[in-house]
């Protein structure tokens, strides 16, 4: 019997190839989208799952109330971790690390001892030995228990070991960093990161240096592992004694720093579970890490569910749309004695067969799209062909969806009355127009929400990439690894200025893009202090040509002058934000203090030097030495020749390091790559959902044409024109889309309003964007239903009436 059911189901599937293709194709697209989204979600949820005792491992976070706002900061003083380990018996281990370029981390030149040239690499981090134990790095060479105990120790990833040493063992080999041949580093360990996923990003781990041993500068992130059964809430309260025991006494030694004692006394501590860092970190947390976002995980999970739900709805609509073609079959089978149970099982068999075929095609489609998805999402997800649970789960879901999606069509088709159906009176057995219309409204409401999201994400991304930033990022070439020039930096600058295509050159590591140096300080207005707690801001050490190279605008006062020696000693140019927060109406000549005192000689127009998620913050520019990067303003013509000329000058000055450069506008775009990446993923899956919804509309239009063939034929015989027939069949669908639009607008507005809250600078939610989304939905709907409408309007009425 089952074999007979399968045979009949297969014959039915082959009989109507167009609708079968749409059924399987729509379902397969839904399955493929679901699989890709599921892979993404599982990848995001897999971070930091390798720890043996995750419930005992935490990151320490400071919560500081400043001007009515609680600032969360994960950076602490160098001795902070050691103090925690020694003062609190609840803490088993405490480790620290810094990736701050200010202390030599970040980007470096690395040269294998004995090789002629070095290469520029990112991802250098200073870390203490306990960090290896707390974060449980998977070593493939060396011992985790001792790899960073000694100075000049270096732990590298397996990928970098292969880059530097090929297939030979790296352990015990030596390398030179930043041309410091007097202090070579020894490879003491190799870590295989491919076996784990961690929020902690690194390529090279260096033994932490004690050159910043004080209780003032906060540049080190601290992790702890506590003993079993530790009362975490009690420990957080006890940790405040560090402030009174260590921080306050040191602040008391400096008259300027003494003013911040109350600020530290108001500070509290939080312990963030290690497995919460990747997805559950506040977007405004100061930790300089790349995070995921649990909200995006939930968003994509919702999209996956909706896409699969839309595909199932389409399956139902498509099964009933051609019900007239199966009506006589049902009538005849009932007449010769077939029971309703037999018919239900027959149609469920057909549904399950279609579901299984759809899943097979969906799996193939997902595997073909996965490389593209990895590029867009910046992931390295592998298809789980060998997973012991993938195929059992997939088969189980295919059978369940096949059964549930086929229940309504099976009971609907098997309920036809034989006498009425055989007389051609199918309409009396089709009383569920409202349900089908409701399903289409539901589908298009979701689709319009996704269209609204797509438009707003695109507009916001375009706004970020093209916003007036306050500086000119175009045609600025950034020479990387310029520290290799040593005392030749000024000579190199002069040689570049001799090139006709070079107009300005500035030496300095502080640039308005991520990955360059930052130095956070607290500032006071000495002449007229506004707040005893001071104003947090940045101090950047630049050269005399910095402002002109980046096109920064002086709005008050003057630029640095090389012929004024005092400018190199105690002059500062501040941005408008610092002048405002320090209460300076006429800042020129006023003095500011961050431990050192500076005289304000100019005010620069506010410019964005961090992500547009953040507000512009106070900034002071002073003359200083930071030779790691060189910014070169070049002309727009003969770009390749200009780069070749700069490379020649480099090779004349640095023989043991390859020339490496980036462009400032590319670095800026990279700073917002997470927005672009999420936008591209969202757009891709939104397109999937819209295509599936269109198939649903196609199904309903086919169903309505099927039901109204006699009416259309009579109208045509009575002289109804093509336009009249077309309007008759389309007006109902447009009404459904408009109802969906009314439902979707408030949902889309609320969702996008919440998403935009993460950005300090954002587009307004203009009503025109919602109108465009509605127009797109109507256009897509018309395009979808036109095939059936036009076919109906052009059919031969006599042929249709004869069959009736």
């Amino acid at each position: 019997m089952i074999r007979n059911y399968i045979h009949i189901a297969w014959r039915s599937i082959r009989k109507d190839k167009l609708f079968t293709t749409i059924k399987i194709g729509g379902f397969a697209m839904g399955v493929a989208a679901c699989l890709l989204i599921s892979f993404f979600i599982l990848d995001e949820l897999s971070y930091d799952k390798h720890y043996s005792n995750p419930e005992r491992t935490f990151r320490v976070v400071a919560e500081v109330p400043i001007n009515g706002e609680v600032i969360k900061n994960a950076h602490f003083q160098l001795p902070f971790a050691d103090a925690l380990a020694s003062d609190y018996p609840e803490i088993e281990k405490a480790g620290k690390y810094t990736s701050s370029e200010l202390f030599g981390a970040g980007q470096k030149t690395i040269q294998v001892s004995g090789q002629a040239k070095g290469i520029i690499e990112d991802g250098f981090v200073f870390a203490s030995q306990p960090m290896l134990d707390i974060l449980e790095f998977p070593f493939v060479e060396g011992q985790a228990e001792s790899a960073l105990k000694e100075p000049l120790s270096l732990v590298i990833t397996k990928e970098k070991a292969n880059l530097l040493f090929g297939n030979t063992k790296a352990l015990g080999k030596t390398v030179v960093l930043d041309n410091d041949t007097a202090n070579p580093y020894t490879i003491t360990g190799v870590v295989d990161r491919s076996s784990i996923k961690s929020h902690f990003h690194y390529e090279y781990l260096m033994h932490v240096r004690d050159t910043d041993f004080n209780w003032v500068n906060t540049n080190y992130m601290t992790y702890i592992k506590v003993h079993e059964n530790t009362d975490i809430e009690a420990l957080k309260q006890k940790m405040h004694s560090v402030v009174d025991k260590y921080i306050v006494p040191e602040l008391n030694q400096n008259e300027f720093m003494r003013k911040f004692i109350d600020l530290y006394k108001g500070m509290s501590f939080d312990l963030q579970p290690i497995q919460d860092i990747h997805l559950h970190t506040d977007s405004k947390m100061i930790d300089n890490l790349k995070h995921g976002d649990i909200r995006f995980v939930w968003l994509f999970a919702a999209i996956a569910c909706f896409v699969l739900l839309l595909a199932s709805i389409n399956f139902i609509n498509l099964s009933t749309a051609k019900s007239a073609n199966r009506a006589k079959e049902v009538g005849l089978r009932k007449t010769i004695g077939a029971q309703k149970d037999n018919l239900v099982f027959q149609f469920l068999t057909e549904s399950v067969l279609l579901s299984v075929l759809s899943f097979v095609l969906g799996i193939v489609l997902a595997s073909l799209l996965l490389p593209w998805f990895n590029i867009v999402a910046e992931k390295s997800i592998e298809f789980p062909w060998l997973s012991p649970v993938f195929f059992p789960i997939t088969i189980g879901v295919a059978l369940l969806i096949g059964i549930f999606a086929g229940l309504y069509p099976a009971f609907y088709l098997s309920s036809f009355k034989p006498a009425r159906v055989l007389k051609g009176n199918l309409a009396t057995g089709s009383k569920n127009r409202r349900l089908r219309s409701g399903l289409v409204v539901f589908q298009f409401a979701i689709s319009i929400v996704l269209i609204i999201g797509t438009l707003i994400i695109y507009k916001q991304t375009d706004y970020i990439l093209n916003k007036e930033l306050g500086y000119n990022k175009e045609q600025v070439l950034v020479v990387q690894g310029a520290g290799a020039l040593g005392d030749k930096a000024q000579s190199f600058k002069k040689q570049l200025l001799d090139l006709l295509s070079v107009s300005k050159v500035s030496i300095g590591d502080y640039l308005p893009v991520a990955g360059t140096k930052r130095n956070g300080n607290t500032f006071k207005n000495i002449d007229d202090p506004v707040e005893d707690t001071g104003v947090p801001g940045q101090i950047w050490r630049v050269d005399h040509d910095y402002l002109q190279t980046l096109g920064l605008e002086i709005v008050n006062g003057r630029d640095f002058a090389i012929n004024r020696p005092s400018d190199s000693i105690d002059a500062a140019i501040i941005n408008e934000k610092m002048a405002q927060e320090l209460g300076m109406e006429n800042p020129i000549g006023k003095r500011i203090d961050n431990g050192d005192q500076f005289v304000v000689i100019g005010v620069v127009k506010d410019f964005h030097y961090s992500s547009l998620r953040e507000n512009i913050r106070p900034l002071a520019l002073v003359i200083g030495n930071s030779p790691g990067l060189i910014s070169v303003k070049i002309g727009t013509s003969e770009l390749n020749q200009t780069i070749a000329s700069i490379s020649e000058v480099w090779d004349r000055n640095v023989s043991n390091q390859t020339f490496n450069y980036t462009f400032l506008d590319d670095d800026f775009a990279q700073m917002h790559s997470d927005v672009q990446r999420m936008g591209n993923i969202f757009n891709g899956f939104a397109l999937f959902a819209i295509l599936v919804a269109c198939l649903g509309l196609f199904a309903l239009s086919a169903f309505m044409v099927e039901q109204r063939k006699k009416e259309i034929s009579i109208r045509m015989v009575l002289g109804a024109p093509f336009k009249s027939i077309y309007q008759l069949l389309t007006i109902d669908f447009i009404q459904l889309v408009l109802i969906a639009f009314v439902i979707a607008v408030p949902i889309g507005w609320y969702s996008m309003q919440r998403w935009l809250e993460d950005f300090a600078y954002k587009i307004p939610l203009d009503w025109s964007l919602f109108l465009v989304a509605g127009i797109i939905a109507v256009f897509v709907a018309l395009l979808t239903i036109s095939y059936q409408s036009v076919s109906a309007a052009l059919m031969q009425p006599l042929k249709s009436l004869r069959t009736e």
Side-chain angles (χ1 to χ4, degrees):
M1 183 65 73
I2 294 176
R3 182 179 178 184
N4 183 53
Y5 287 151
I6 294 174
H7 178 73
I8 295 171
W10 181 248
R11 185 178 61 188
S12 176
I13 289 170
R14 293 182 61 188
K15 186 176 180 181
D16 197 336
K17 294 183 175 59
L18 174 62
F19 268 68
T20 297
T21 301
I22 294 174
K23 269 186 184 181
I24 295 176
F27 226 150
M29 283 195 293
V31 169
C34 259
L35 285 174
L36 292 175
I37 294 173
S38 298
F39 295 158
F40 174 82
I41 291 172
L42 290 173
D43 185 80
E44 286 292 290
L45 294 175
S46 67
Y47 278 76
D48 299 310
K49 299 299 183 185
H50 64 283
Y51 299 107
S52 56
N53 301 109
E55 73 284 354
R56 294 166 49 200
T57 308
F58 301 88
R59 180 174 71 168
V60 185
V61 175
E63 297 180 342
V64 187
I66 299 178
N67 298 328
E69 181 183 1
V70 176
I71 305 297
K72 293 186 177 183
N73 188 0
H75 296 92
F76 293 90
Q77 299 86 349
L78 175 64
F80 180 74
D82 296 334
L84 294 181
S86 63
D87 289 10
Y88 302 102
E90 300 94 331
I91 297 177
E92 181 182 327
K93 293 177 182 177
K96 55 183 175 284
Y97 83 89
T98 181
S99 56
S100 172
E101 296 85 356
L102 188 64
F103 294 97
Q107 187 183 85
K108 284 182 172 294
T109 301
I110 184 168
Q111 183 177 355
V112 177
S113 298
Q115 291 188 0
K117 281 197 172 188
I119 57 174
I120 296 175
E121 285 285 288
D122 290 305
F124 283 87
V125 172
F126 287 106
S128 64
Q129 171 60 40
M131 284 294 293
L132 301 181
D133 305 320
I134 294 170
L135 297 186
E136 301 181 25
F137 294 93
F139 274 69
V140 293
E141 292 185 40
Q143 300 297 320
E145 297 79 12
S146 59
L148 287 178
K149 276 189 175 179
E150 299 299 326
L152 301 177
S153 300
L154 183 66
V155 175
I156 65 177
T157 62
K158 185 178 179 181
E159 181 184 5
K160 296 305 177 183
N162 292 335
L163 172 70
L164 297 172
F165 304 105
N167 295 324
T168 62
K169 283 207 168 191
L171 192 67
K173 302 284 181 64
T174 59
V175 295
V176 174
L177 302 182
D178 288 340
N179 295 318
D180 185 5
T181 54
N183 296 292
Y185 275 76
T186 302
I187 308 297
T188 53
V190 177
V191 175
D192 184 8
R193 288 190 311 179
S194 64
S195 60
I196 63 170
K197 286 190 176 294
S198 174
H199 72 279
F200 181 53
H201 306 287
Y202 64 94
E203 300 292 347
Y204 303 89
L205 297 173
M206 302 176 286
H207 173 83
V208 68
R209 298 186 299 198
D210 294 338
T211 54
D212 189 35
F213 196 89
N214 62 68
W215 284 96
V216 177
N217 296 332
T218 54
N219 296 289
Y220 294 83
M221 284 204 255
T222 300
Y223 290 72
I224 63 172
K225 186 174 184 179
V226 301
H227 290 289
E228 290 185 19
N229 303 318
T230 295
D231 187 335
I232 300 302
E233 291 302 318
L235 178 59
K236 288 194 285 188
Q237 298 300 320
K238 288 175 64 177
M239 284 171 59
H240 195 272
S241 64
V242 171
V243 175
D244 296 321
K245 185 176 180 180
Y246 298 104
I247 299 176
V248 170
E250 182 146 345
L251 295 180
N252 265 321
Q253 296 176 17
N254 184 293
E255 182 179 352
F256 174 78
M257 299 305 298
R258 197 175 299 139
K259 301 173 183 177
F260 304 114
I261 290 177
D262 290 340
L263 188 68
Y264 275 99
K265 285 190 172 183
M267 181 174 69
S268 60
F269 292 94
D270 189 24
L271 296 178
Q272 185 179 22
I274 191 78
Q275 292 184 334
D276 286 354
I277 295 175
H278 179 64
L279 287 177
H280 297 274
T281 295
D282 191 312
S283 61
K284 295 183 180 178
M285 169 78 76
I286 303 173
D287 66 358
N288 300 327
L289 292 178
K290 289 183 178 180
H291 298 286
D293 192 329
I294 191 63
R295 293 172 302 172
F296 277 113
V297 172
W298 286 114
L299 172 64
F300 289 135
I303 291 175
C305 292
F306 281 132
V307 169
L308 199 57
L309 183 60
L310 295 183
S312 299
I313 291 171
N314 285 351
F315 186 89
I316 295 170
N317 275 346
L318 285 164
S319 295
T320 56
K322 287 292 185 179
S323 56
N325 294 352
R326 307 295 299 274
K328 290 183 179 180
E329 175 193 340
V330 171
L332 286 171
R333 292 180 67 178
K334 280 192 172 184
T335 300
I336 60 175
Q339 298 298 313
K340 184 175 181 178
D341 292 348
N342 302 122
L343 294 170
V344 167
F345 196 84
Q346 166 63 52
F347 290 123
L348 283 178
T349 302
E350 188 174 316
S351 174
V352 168
L353 182 58
L354 282 168
S355 177
V356 170
L357 290 173
S358 298
F359 264 79
V360 170
L361 183 58
I363 289 170
V364 172
L365 185 59
S367 66
L368 293 175
L369 291 174
L370 187 57
W372 165 84
F373 181 75
N374 279 331
I375 294 171
V376 172
E378 295 183 12
K379 294 282 187 182
S380 53
I381 301 169
E382 295 182 357
F383 206 92
W385 296 112
L386 302 178
S387 171
V389 298
F390 175 70
F391 284 105
I393 289 176
T394 304
I395 293 169
V397 172
L399 294 175
L400 282 174
I401 290 179
I403 292 170
F404 282 109
L407 281 175
Y408 173 73
F411 281 99
Y412 168 72
L413 291 172
S414 64
S415 65
F416 289 162
K417 305 297 183 184
R420 292 181 178 180
V421 166
L422 292 174
K423 290 178 181 179
N425 189 9
L426 181 59
T428 57
S430 308
K431 302 176 180 179
N432 296 292
R433 180 180 176 186
R434 287 184 181 178
L435 174 61
R436 295 188 191 89
S437 298
L439 292 177
V440 170
V441 169
F442 176 76
Q443 286 180 311
F444 261 82
I446 294 173
S447 299
I448 293 170
V449 169
L450 294 174
I451 293 171
I452 290 170
T454 299
L455 290 174
I456 290 174
I457 290 174
Y458 170 79
K459 290 286 287 184
Q460 176 65 13
T461 304
D462 182 68
Y463 172 77
I464 287 172
L465 297 179
N466 296 291
K467 185 183 184 299
E468 177 58 47
L469 301 173
Y471 67 93
N472 187 356
K473 65 181 185 296
E474 307 299 330
Q475 301 301 122
V476 178
L477 181 147
V478 182
V479 179
Q480 306 287 330
L485 288 162
D487 56 9
K488 296 180 182 178
Q490 291 298 327
S491 173
F492 179 73
K493 177 179 177 178
K494 290 178 181 178
Q495 292 173 55
L496 291 182
L497 288 170
D498 289 338
L499 300 175
L500 294 177
S501 54
V502 173
S503 57
K504 296 290 178 185
V505 179
S506 174
I507 302 174
D509 295 350
Y510 298 88
L511 291 174
V513 291
T516 60
K517 269 189 181 178
R518 293 293 181 266
N519 188 6
N521 279 208
T522 303
F523 294 85
K524 291 278 192 178
N525 178 354
I526 298 174
D527 301 304
D528 184 21
V530 178
E531 293 284 346
D532 289 340
T533 55
V535 170
Q538 287 279 319
I539 182 168
W540 290 7
R541 302 196 178 278
V542 300
D543 69 0
H544 295 81
D545 298 309
Y546 183 84
L547 275 74
Q548 293 185 42
T549 303
L550 295 187
L552 299 174
E553 180 184 348
I554 293 284
V555 294
N556 194 0
R558 62 176 178 84
D559 194 356
F560 295 115
I562 198 166
N563 57 356
R564 295 193 183 193
S566 61
D567 281 6
S568 301
I569 301 171
D570 63 356
I573 295 175
I574 63 175
N575 66 352
E576 293 173 302
K577 187 67 174 178
M578 178 169 282
Q580 175 191 339
E581 295 207 4
L582 289 176
M584 293 180 168
E585 292 185 8
N586 298 300
I588 305 305
K590 297 288 179 64
R591 293 175 300 158
I592 59 174
D593 190 344
N594 71 328
D596 296 318
Q597 293 189 13
F598 297 95
V599 177
V600 177
I601 65 168
V603 177
V604 68
K605 184 178 179 180
D606 281 341
F607 64 97
H608 294 276
Y609 60 85
S610 57
S611 166
L612 268 71
R613 294 181 186 274
E614 304 171 19
N615 285 304
I616 294 175
R617 295 177 180 173
L619 170 69
L621 304 174
V622 299
I623 297 297
N625 184 38
S626 55
L629 299 173
I630 295 179
S631 303
V632 186
K633 185 70 174 179
I634 61 178
T636 57
S637 61
E638 298 182 354
L639 181 62
N640 291 335
Q641 180 59 45
T642 299
I643 295 172
S645 299
I646 296 172
S647 179
E648 269 183 51
V649 176
W650 174 268
D651 290 338
R652 288 201 302 267
N653 289 273
V654 183
S655 59
N656 64 343
Q657 182 180 308
T658 55
F659 176 62
N660 195 7
Y661 68 93
T662 59
F663 282 99
L664 193 61
D665 55 349
D666 292 337
D667 294 337
F668 175 81
Q670 183 62 31
M671 187 163 63
H672 296 93
S673 62
D674 60 327
V675 181
Q676 294 175 286
R677 181 171 64 253
M678 287 301 173
N680 289 336
I681 296 172
F682 185 89
N683 295 346
F685 290 126
L687 181 61
F688 263 103
I690 292 166
L691 286 174
V692 172
C694 288
L695 290 176
L697 191 60
F698 183 88
L700 188 58
S701 64
F703 176 81
M704 296 303 295
V705 169
E706 192 78 40
Q707 293 298 98
R708 302 178 73 173
K709 270 187 177 180
K710 183 186 290 186
E711 176 192 348
I712 294 168
S713 299
I714 293 173
R715 286 175 178 270
M716 293 178 70
V717 169
L718 295 176
F722 172 87
K723 180 180 178 182
S724 173
I725 300 298
Y726 182 80
Q727 288 177 345
L728 174 71
L729 295 173
T730 56
I731 191 66
D732 289 342
F733 297 113
I734 299 304
Q735 288 175 352
L736 295 178
V737 174
L738 292 177
I739 293 171
F741 176 73
V742 172
I743 295 171
V745 166
I747 299 173
W749 181 89
Y750 175 77
S751 302
M752 288 297 100
Q753 182 71 25
R754 290 294 304 273
W755 181 72
L756 288 171
E757 283 176 0
D758 275 351
F759 296 90
Y761 301 91
K762 54 200 172 193
I763 60 170
L765 285 179
D766 193 345
W767 64 269
S768 62
L769 291 173
F770 296 90
L771 182 61
V772 169
I775 292 172
I776 291 173
V778 171
F779 175 76
V780 169
L782 281 173
L783 197 63
T784 303
I785 62 181
S786 288
Y787 171 79
Q788 292 292 339
S789 301
V790 171
S791 298
L794 296 177
M795 70 180 179
Q796 297 295 326
L798 294 179
K799 182 179 179 181
S800 176
L801 290 172
R802 187 183 302 118
T803 59
E804 294 287 342

